Amino acid sequence: MNEQRSRRVVITGVGLVTGCGNTTADTWTAVTTGRSGVAAIERFDASAYPTRIAAEVRHFEPAEYIDAKDSRRTDRVVHLAAAAMREAVAGIDFDRLDRDRIGVVIGSGIGGINTFEQQHAIMLARGPGKVSPFFIPMMISDMTSGYVSMALNLRGPNYTTVSACASGGNAIADAFMLIRSGLADGVVTGGSEAAITPMSFAGFCSARAMSRRNDDPQGASRPFDAQRDGFVMGEGAGILMVEELEHARRRGATILAEIVGIGLTGDAFHMTSPAPNGEGAVRAMRMALDVAGMEPSAVDYVNAHGTSTELNDASETAAIKQVFGDHARRLMVSSTKSMVGHQLGAAAAVEIILCALAIRDGIVPPTINQETPDPACDLDYVPNAARRQRIDSALSNSFGFGGHNVSLIIRRFSDG
């Protein structure tokens, strides 16, 4: 264990594509100025749906990031990841590195569902012989990792993680473990999701999980607010380059932050509802603190799962109180889903990147649409406006259907 702990894991590159912007800089500007990316759906006719809003990635041209042939043979979930990946690894000369020691682990909750729906419609209308020969590789969730490994010729561990809305968090946790264990020196990791599709939307609408505030899209996602009425779906990708510290130093990389703690638990309770009082979330956060060797009082900021659903917001608040005790009242807790929407399997990766930028710039993103206090949610959610304050460590929570809980802790990099 001591030898493993001596291998420190640092973040040396990030890339974001979200409904708030197609680059890291654009997304960061939006979330630190409290600008929502939620609007009326443009990707399909949603007029028959009770929810007709989402945080779509707009003005996105796959050809800017992936060649035309590969673009036709891959799903949008790969296109979004490819764009974020290009930004995350910009400037890295992989020819000077051992590609056998660099892996790719990228999570996705649903994978190529857009392809699945389109090809299923073709089969029903024109018969099985008209289904694309690329249907399977376009649809399967692991093709995002597969594509990135081929694009960069990286030959280390390569797979995807699927744990619903915790998928990206599981991917980053796996990258951390691969590097600490010595099985890899670097990993391109994160999450990607492109599930704003007719069938996916129909399913979430039937589950009554999404906001119906169609007349007020930018006010629809309101985590921890008493007037919330469900989550708002987003899409996008968050990709990180993470490396073992000495590996990063040898190539002169700029270190954005250090990953120090991971917590992974299961609720074993219910398919869609969290365990009472956030019991599984409590154990995930405590595990992450234990791995990091940190006291709860050392955490400055929590990027909450904060979906804008009554069950999640209340149970996560209760869990934070159990873990942090009196310090919970001094914590800054915000949900960036209030602006970028809920990107399902990409959410955790996007949110840990926002945590890293918060540490870098000393700016805590707000929870927007905080208008009516909910008595069950009584922490400091950084309401409505970003806060300029130095933070040295941040914890990010992600929870998924099926009872998957992931907590990640990063902190300001120090040579000490």
Side-chain angles (χ1 to χ4, degrees):
M1 177 63 76
N2 289 336
E3 182 179 350
Q4 290 182 7
R5 283 190 169 179
S6 70
R7 286 176 64 87
R8 298 170 65 183
V9 182
V10 294
I11 301 170
T12 57
V14 296
L16 286 175
V17 177
T18 75
C20 284
N22 294 356
T23 66
T24 298
D26 287 349
T27 297
W28 185 234
T29 296
V31 301
T32 53
T33 54
R35 177 162 52 83
S36 170
V38 181
I41 291 175
E42 296 179 356
R43 297 204 65 234
F44 66 92
D45 179 3
S47 58
Y49 292 70
T51 296
R52 302 184 292 277
I53 55 174
E56 294 175 295
V57 173
R58 293 178 171 82
H59 311 297
F60 181 81
E61 296 295 336
E64 295 180 17
Y65 313 100
I66 185 170
D67 72 45
K69 182 178 177 182
D70 285 342
S71 176
R72 291 192 299 272
R73 296 178 176 182
T74 50
D75 187 89
R76 182 174 173 86
V77 69
V78 173
H79 302 165
L80 298 177
M85 176 271 287
R86 297 292 178 196
E87 189 178 17
V89 304
I92 299 177
D93 184 357
F94 285 103
D95 287 338
R96 298 175 65 87
L97 305 177
D98 182 353
R99 285 183 158 92
D100 291 350
R101 299 280 302 167
I102 301 176
V104 181
V105 184
I106 298 172
S108 183
I110 303 182
I113 190 169
N114 188 59
T115 294
F116 185 93
E117 292 180 25
Q118 290 178 348
Q119 293 298 315
H120 186 246
I122 289 172
M123 187 191 75
L124 293 179
R126 301 166 60 190
K130 296 299 182 181
V131 170
S132 168
F134 298 103
F135 169 61
I136 297 298
M138 289 177 71
M139 177 199 68
I140 53 180
S141 296
D142 63 299
M143 196 48 62
T144 301
S145 288
Y147 170 79
V148 170
S149 72
M150 289 182 278
L152 300 176
N153 190 22
L154 301 179
R155 301 186 294 264
N158 182 278
Y159 56 94
T160 194
T161 51
V162 180
S163 50
C165 303
S167 299
N170 274 110
I172 295 166
D174 278 20
F176 176 87
M177 291 189 285
L178 286 168
I179 293 172
R180 267 209 171 180
S181 68
L183 292 173
D185 293 328
V187 181
V188 179
T189 186
S192 186
E193 201 78 270
I196 301 175
T197 66
M199 192 66 194
S200 176
F201 237 68
F204 280 111
C205 282
S206 292
R208 297 179 177 274
M210 295 196 294
S211 171
R212 301 185 179 191
R213 199 181 289 256
N214 299 304
D215 296 334
D216 179 22
Q218 299 206 340
S221 182
R222 43 182 59 238
F224 307 111
D225 185 87
Q227 300 302 315
R228 62 187 173 273
D229 68 334
F231 81 90
V232 176
M233 192 185 295
E235 63 176 351
I239 301 294
L240 305 88
M241 181 69 199
V242 299
E243 298 177 69
E244 190 274 328
L245 174 58
E246 296 307 319
H247 185 269
R249 280 175 165 155
R250 283 195 295 273
R251 69 177 188 85
T254 298
I255 296 171
L256 186 57
E258 180 176 5
I259 303 174
V260 293
I262 62 170
L264 316 170
T265 66
D267 282 349
F269 173 70
H270 190 274
M271 285 192 288
T272 57
S273 298
N277 297 315
E279 185 273 339
V282 168
R283 288 186 290 111
M285 286 187 275
R286 285 177 174 162
M287 182 188 295
L289 287 164
D290 182 57
V291 171
M294 292 171 60
E295 294 295 326
S297 59
V299 175
D300 300 313
Y301 167 56
V302 173
N303 188 301
H305 187 55
T307 55
S308 187
T309 61
E310 186 171 349
L311 277 177
N312 172 86
D313 291 356
S315 67
E316 186 172 13
T317 298
I320 290 171
K321 290 178 180 177
Q322 289 182 65
V323 172
F324 291 96
D326 292 342
H327 184 61
R329 301 292 178 187
R330 296 185 287 274
L331 271 174
M332 292 173 286
V333 180
S334 73
S335 173
T336 43
K337 289 184 178 74
S338 60
M339 294 167 282
V340 300
H342 189 351
Q343 297 148 321
L344 310 180
V350 170
E351 290 161 11
I352 200 67
I353 289 173
L354 295 177
C355 286
L357 300 177
I359 290 173
R360 182 193 68 182
D361 293 350
I363 304 176
V364 179
T367 307
I368 67 168
N369 302 318
Q370 284 275 291
E371 298 172 348
T372 306
D374 179 347
C377 301
D378 55 355
L379 299 177
D380 174 8
Y381 301 109
V382 193
N384 300 315
R387 190 173 301 165
R388 284 196 173 274
Q389 186 166 329
R390 175 187 170 98
I391 60 172
D392 292 315
S393 61
L395 181 150
S396 179
N397 281 332
S398 295
F399 314 130
F401 281 179
H404 316 294
N405 308 299
V406 178
S407 295
L408 303 172
I409 299 177
I410 62 172
R411 67 185 175 197
R412 183 181 301 277
F413 174 69
S414 169
D415 274 326

